[in-house]
Amino acid sequence: MNIQKPEGLLSVVLPTELASSPSSRQLIINQDQQDEEASDCPLLTPSPPGAQTSSALESGAIFVSLEGNPVESIPPPTLDNINKEDGLNEFMNIVNSSSKVLNDEPSSRDPMVESTSSGSSSDTNGPVCAQLLTQLNTAYQHLAPDAQALFYNQENGGKPPLVGIQLVVPKPSKDYRFMKWNWPLIRKTCFWSLMSLLAGCTALVIGVIATMPRKCDPTVQWWQGSVFYEIFPASFQDSSKGGDGIGDIRGITMRLDYLKELGIRGIRLNSIFPAVHYPEYYSNIDNLTDLNEHLGTLDDFAILVREVHRRNMSLLLDLPLYPFIKTLFEDDIPENKSNKTNKALRERRDVTDDTLLQKVVPTTPSSSIQAIQQAMFPTAPPLEQSQQQALLSNAVKPMTEDPITTAIRIWLQRGVDGFYLKGLEHYVDEESFASNVRHWKSILGPERILICHVDALNAAKSVAAKNSILNRVDLVDVTLRIANGTKEIKRQIEDITRGLLFEKPGYPWIHWSIGGVDFARIASTVNVKNATMATTLLGMMLPGTPSIFYGDEIGIVDCECEDHKDLAHVHNVPPMYWDKNNESGIKFTSLPTAWLPEATKPLETSLIGTIAAMAHLRSQTTPIYVKAVLKQNQVLANCDIRYAEDEIIVIERWYPRRNSYVFVANLGNETQTKDLSFLYYGGHVVVGPTYRMNREVYLKQLVIPPGEALIIKLDK
């Protein structure tokens, strides 16, 4: 029977006639037993019956074809060759050589391939392996007669060769889809993608670590904890060459670098408004919107604002409300005509006049609207022009802004960053006080500030007025009087730190003023003349925003001139003393005389340069510039007066997990040796006299000369 073998199948021809000699038969039986023991699939291992007889092995051939082409043709073995002395070895070599071609096909451990080594006859009494494979696979078939003829050999006596069973095994497919992929490119892509991911993660971690804040300091606004500097413009610097001996705006611009080096963050100008006989009577102002002609022009003021902001500083103005502003109410609106509409207008003063008129008084309708109205209401005759004018004249007049609001708006447009409302305590009893304060703050916004004196808070009787100050004012000015000794200083400080302003975190910060335009000079009030810098350092050590009055950083004194006895109110504002080392020898004015005798050279002190060093330390040291510590939902002022005896004052500033700082000053006239070891052991001097700087100091026997102060950094 001739059956066409499909392509792609592996053909193995197995012999069906075994040798008839006992030795060969025993060889085949032993080989079958070994195959059965080593078979991976026992069900496919041949188990010949014991009674089965085999014909004599005369000749045989093993034919292996891959894809229909013979791979190797082996001469068929004859019976004589098998029965030779080494016939068995030849027979095994034939079998092994025939199986070498199969190495490229399915594994030799494959049960289907292993079963081919146990060939038998093609009849129904063949081996169990052949019968089982015949049932499972219809591809088993006998060689055709013409195939047998290929192996017919006349030298073997004309005997036909062994007829084998052709085992057709499906060829494994070699066209899997994944085998056509570009695996080198895939491997490179995966590798570099992984490397990129690792590099990105590493860069992200490094970036997070690099941008993490080194200190968990509380956030503060620009005016909180900064150092302010109060200037009386007429006495600071005269810039005019042939001038009048009065300081001006351009003179302040000339000295901005000096203020920057001093560590100033906010510059506060006292009175810059037009006044009769300025500057002798600077408080008799005419309005709050113009600049005094003696100080310069608005262009000069614009240059000052620009230069101040360029140096990362801020400019503030004092608005002298009292006695210039009589009342917060409008005098031109009678009280008997006040109604709900007027009240609503007063509460919405930030709305323009035109908008208010449109909401209160109906405008003249257009022709189309008049036609619609006539169609809907035919009985209503149109108003005459005279009647319309009468209606408009009887309508509610728009509320004009009060002078304070107008001044705030105008100076904000000119670049001012805040206002000190001087004399605000005289208006706290008025009904519109709370609404006015809220309105002023709404105009300023969150980045610009309002300042008032603590007297306004103490004078507020109503809850609304008090809350308007606590919630709308940013800084509350506290004047610290130091002439009555250290015990009085301690009492004033503790009254503030244990008072209302430290009850909630959102309440205003303290604006500490040691000197000012309304008070005598520190150097003229303290017993020790050179204690001015020590008291200035004291104010900079307190929690809040300290303010320095011009000249106190060098210790100038009041003017004592016989020719100006009638001007006692200006004796504390003498022209600034400028050392030649500051600005290339430029004095206050180029004229022989100034409007007031210039300040004399201050007394020598060991604290030269300590104000700038303290301002720098304050800007970077959390325990000093913060207002308080929030602990267990309570606001605690991180300031403690540890000692205030014998004109020695010790102030400690602390913060959790930070080094504490201690201020020690001698405001007396004698050198004192104190044992403060019951308070602290010792520390490192960070601000103080030159001979103590950057040295360790021990408080067992601390020697403090008169008028001297130092700041000590304690160990944790």
Side-chain angles (χ1 to χ4, degrees):
M1 180 177 180
N2 189 8
I3 301 177
Q4 184 69 23
K5 181 180 71 64
E7 295 183 358
L9 298 180
L10 178 64
S11 300
V12 180
V13 180
L14 300 179
T16 57
E17 295 184 4
L18 300 178
S20 60
S21 63
S23 60
S24 61
R25 185 164 53 249
Q26 184 65 28
L27 172 63
I28 299 303
I29 293 173
N30 294 337
Q31 183 68 23
D32 293 340
Q33 292 177 356
Q34 293 177 1
D35 292 341
E36 182 177 359
E37 292 176 358
S39 175
D40 291 336
C41 242
L43 292 178
L44 300 180
T45 304
S47 299
Q52 183 180 358
T53 60
S54 302
S55 59
L57 180 61
E58 296 180 356
S59 64
I62 297 178
F63 178 78
V64 180
S65 176
L66 182 61
E67 296 182 356
N69 298 324
V71 177
E72 183 179 359
S73 179
I74 303 173
T78 61
L79 184 59
D80 297 335
N81 296 334
I82 294 296
N83 293 331
K84 289 181 180 180
E85 182 176 355
D86 52 348
L88 179 60
N89 295 332
E90 294 180 2
F91 178 77
M92 295 304 297
N93 291 334
I94 294 173
V95 174
N96 293 334
S97 62
S98 64
S99 61
K100 289 181 181 179
V101 184
L102 300 177
N103 291 338
D104 294 336
E105 298 299 328
S107 173
S108 61
R109 302 293 295 172
D110 194 335
M112 297 182 66
V113 177
E114 289 181 1
S115 63
T116 60
S117 63
S118 302
S120 61
S121 62
S122 62
D123 56 3
T124 58
N125 294 329
V128 177
C129 176
Q131 297 178 11
L132 182 60
L133 291 175
T134 303
Q135 296 176 1
L136 295 178
N137 192 347
T138 58
Y140 290 95
Q141 52 185 310
H142 293 282
L143 288 173
D146 54 352
Q148 297 179 9
L150 297 175
F151 296 95
Y152 188 80
N153 192 348
Q154 297 296 331
E155 296 179 357
N156 293 334
K159 295 182 179 180
L162 293 175
V163 179
I165 299 176
Q166 183 180 11
L167 178 61
V168 182
V169 181
K171 176 186 176 183
S173 176
K174 292 186 178 180
D175 57 349
Y176 294 110
R177 183 171 299 177
F178 67 88
M179 297 178 65
K180 298 181 180 180
W181 295 352
N182 192 348
W183 285 106
L185 180 61
I186 293 175
R187 286 193 297 269
K188 291 181 181 179
T189 303
C190 294
F191 174 78
W192 290 113
S193 299
L194 179 60
M195 292 296 101
S196 301
L197 180 62
L198 293 177
C201 294
T202 304
L204 179 62
V205 172
I206 295 175
V208 171
I209 295 175
T211 56
M212 288 179 61
R214 297 182 179 180
K215 299 179 181 179
C216 297
D217 297 336
T219 58
V220 294
Q221 300 292 337
W222 65 266
W223 67 86
Q224 295 175 340
S226 302
V227 181
F228 284 10
Y229 192 85
E230 182 181 356
I231 295 177
F232 186 73
S235 299
F236 194 66
Q237 177 65 60
D238 181 17
S239 65
S240 57
K241 295 181 179 180
D244 49 6
I246 300 176
D248 48 34
I249 297 298
R250 288 187 295 178
I252 299 176
T253 306
M254 292 171 52
R255 301 292 184 175
L256 288 180
D257 292 335
Y258 165 79
L259 299 178
K260 183 67 176 180
E261 294 176 358
L262 197 61
I264 303 303
R265 181 64 177 84
I267 301 174
R268 176 181 148 209
L269 304 182
N270 284 125
S271 182
I272 63 172
F273 308 107
V276 181
H277 302 295
Y278 184 89
E280 289 84 355
Y281 299 95
Y282 61 88
S283 59
N284 298 332
I285 61 175
D286 295 336
N287 60 75
L288 294 174
T289 58
D290 295 333
L291 183 66
N292 194 294
E293 60 181 3
H294 295 283
L295 299 180
T297 63
L298 291 177
D299 293 336
D300 297 334
F301 187 84
I303 295 174
L304 173 64
V305 172
R306 185 187 64 205
E307 294 299 320
V308 166
H309 291 166
R310 190 174 65 86
R311 290 169 174 82
N312 196 27
M313 296 189 293
S314 302
L315 187 66
L316 301 95
L317 291 184
D318 283 9
L319 293 181
L321 307 183
Y322 185 83
F324 178 71
I325 304 297
K326 302 300 181 182
T327 178
L328 298 180
F329 288 105
E330 290 300 320
D331 298 332
D332 57 343
I333 298 180
E335 294 182 1
N336 55 0
K337 293 185 179 181
S338 176
N339 51 27
K340 294 182 179 180
T341 304
N342 294 339
K343 182 178 180 181
L345 290 175
R346 287 196 302 270
E347 293 178 354
R348 299 170 58 185
R349 292 180 179 178
D350 55 334
V351 184
T352 59
D353 299 342
D354 295 338
T355 305
L356 292 176
L357 276 175
Q358 292 177 3
K359 290 186 178 181
V360 177
V361 181
T363 57
T364 304
S366 61
S367 59
S368 59
I369 297 179
Q370 289 179 354
I372 296 175
Q373 289 179 351
Q374 293 177 3
M376 296 180 63
F377 307 100
T379 57
L383 294 176
E384 299 292 339
Q385 184 176 2
S386 59
Q387 294 177 342
Q388 293 180 3
Q389 293 178 355
L391 178 61
L392 292 175
S393 62
N394 294 330
V396 179
K397 294 182 180 180
M399 179 68 68
T400 58
E401 289 183 339
D402 59 274
I404 302 175
T405 304
T406 303
I408 290 176
R409 288 186 183 276
I410 291 177
W411 289 109
L412 282 180
Q413 295 175 359
R414 295 169 180 170
V416 175
D417 300 301
F419 301 92
Y420 188 132
L421 304 178
K422 302 190 70 174
L424 190 64
E425 58 271 12
H426 296 279
Y427 310 97
V428 293
D429 294 333
E430 298 186 10
E431 295 182 0
S432 62
F433 175 79
S435 61
N436 280 332
V437 173
R438 290 194 298 267
H439 180 58
W440 296 335
K441 182 57 181 176
S442 65
I443 297 175
L444 266 69
E447 297 299 328
R448 297 180 174 90
I449 64 173
L450 285 178
I451 309 175
C452 73
H453 199 270
V454 69
D455 292 342
L457 182 62
N458 297 331
K461 303 301 182 182
S462 64
V463 177
K466 191 178 295 292
N467 289 337
S468 64
I469 296 176
L470 294 175
N471 298 323
R472 297 297 188 274
V473 176
D474 302 290
L475 293 175
V476 174
D477 184 28
V478 175
T479 303
L480 191 62
R481 312 306 300 166
I482 62 173
N484 296 327
T486 55
K487 292 184 179 180
E488 179 63 18
I489 295 175
K490 178 180 179 181
R491 185 197 63 80
Q492 295 179 67
I493 296 174
E494 290 181 347
D495 287 346
I496 299 299
T497 57
R498 299 176 183 178
L500 178 62
L501 292 173
F502 282 84
E503 289 185 358
K504 293 183 179 180
Y507 283 173
W509 280 43
I510 311 300
H511 180 270
W512 298 99
S513 295
I514 305 297
V517 69
D518 299 324
F519 309 99
R521 287 280 177 178
I522 299 176
S524 300
T525 56
V526 296
N527 296 328
V528 183
K529 297 300 182 181
N530 62 342
T532 304
M533 293 188 186
T535 55
T536 304
L537 292 176
L538 188 150
M540 300 175 70
M541 192 69 182
L542 300 178
T545 300
S547 178
I548 301 174
F549 190 46
Y550 82 98
D552 285 347
E553 72 275 12
I554 58 176
I556 64 175
V557 297
D558 291 342
C559 174
E560 298 179 359
C561 50
E562 296 293 334
D563 298 337
H564 296 83
K565 289 184 177 180
D566 57 333
L567 300 177
H569 61 282
V570 296
H571 285 181
N572 61 328
V573 289
M576 178 70 173
Y577 174 82
W578 292 106
D579 193 355
K580 294 182 179 180
N581 297 328
N582 291 334
E583 286 290 338
S584 302
I586 299 177
K587 297 182 178 180
F588 166 73
T589 181
S590 59
L591 298 178
T593 58
W595 75 278
L596 200 67
E598 297 184 35
T600 59
K601 184 177 181 179
L603 298 176
E604 294 183 1
T605 177
S606 60
L607 300 179
I608 297 295
T610 55
I611 303 299
M614 184 61 185
H616 178 73
L617 176 67
R618 183 182 181 89
S619 64
Q620 297 182 349
T621 307
T622 304
I624 300 180
Y625 72 74
V626 296
K627 172 188 175 183
V629 174
L630 185 62
K631 187 176 182 180
Q632 296 179 356
N633 297 328
Q634 294 181 355
V635 180
L636 302 177
N638 60 335
C639 177
D640 191 9
I641 312 297
R642 301 299 301 274
Y643 188 83
E645 300 288 341
D646 302 329
E647 300 303 322
I648 299 293
I649 185 169
V650 179
I651 303 175
E652 179 184 357
R653 296 296 305 276
W654 55 272
Y655 196 79
R657 298 179 299 276
R658 302 294 174 87
N659 295 90
S660 298
Y661 290 80
V662 175
F663 170 83
V664 182
N666 180 10
L667 302 182
N669 290 316
E670 298 179 357
T671 300
Q672 300 190 41
T673 302
K674 284 293 181 180
D675 182 7
L676 302 177
S677 59
F678 64 94
L679 298 175
Y680 319 101
Y681 176 72
H684 185 74
V685 178
V686 292
V687 176
T690 305
Y691 69 93
R692 291 185 184 269
M693 281 296 297
N694 301 322
R695 295 185 180 182
E696 297 294 330
V697 60
Y698 302 98
L699 302 180
K700 180 67 176 179
Q701 292 182 345
L702 183 61
V703 180
I704 311 175
E708 188 172 286
L710 64 156
I711 290 88
I712 303 172
K713 179 181 179 181
L714 302 179
D715 297 330
K716 290 186 179 179

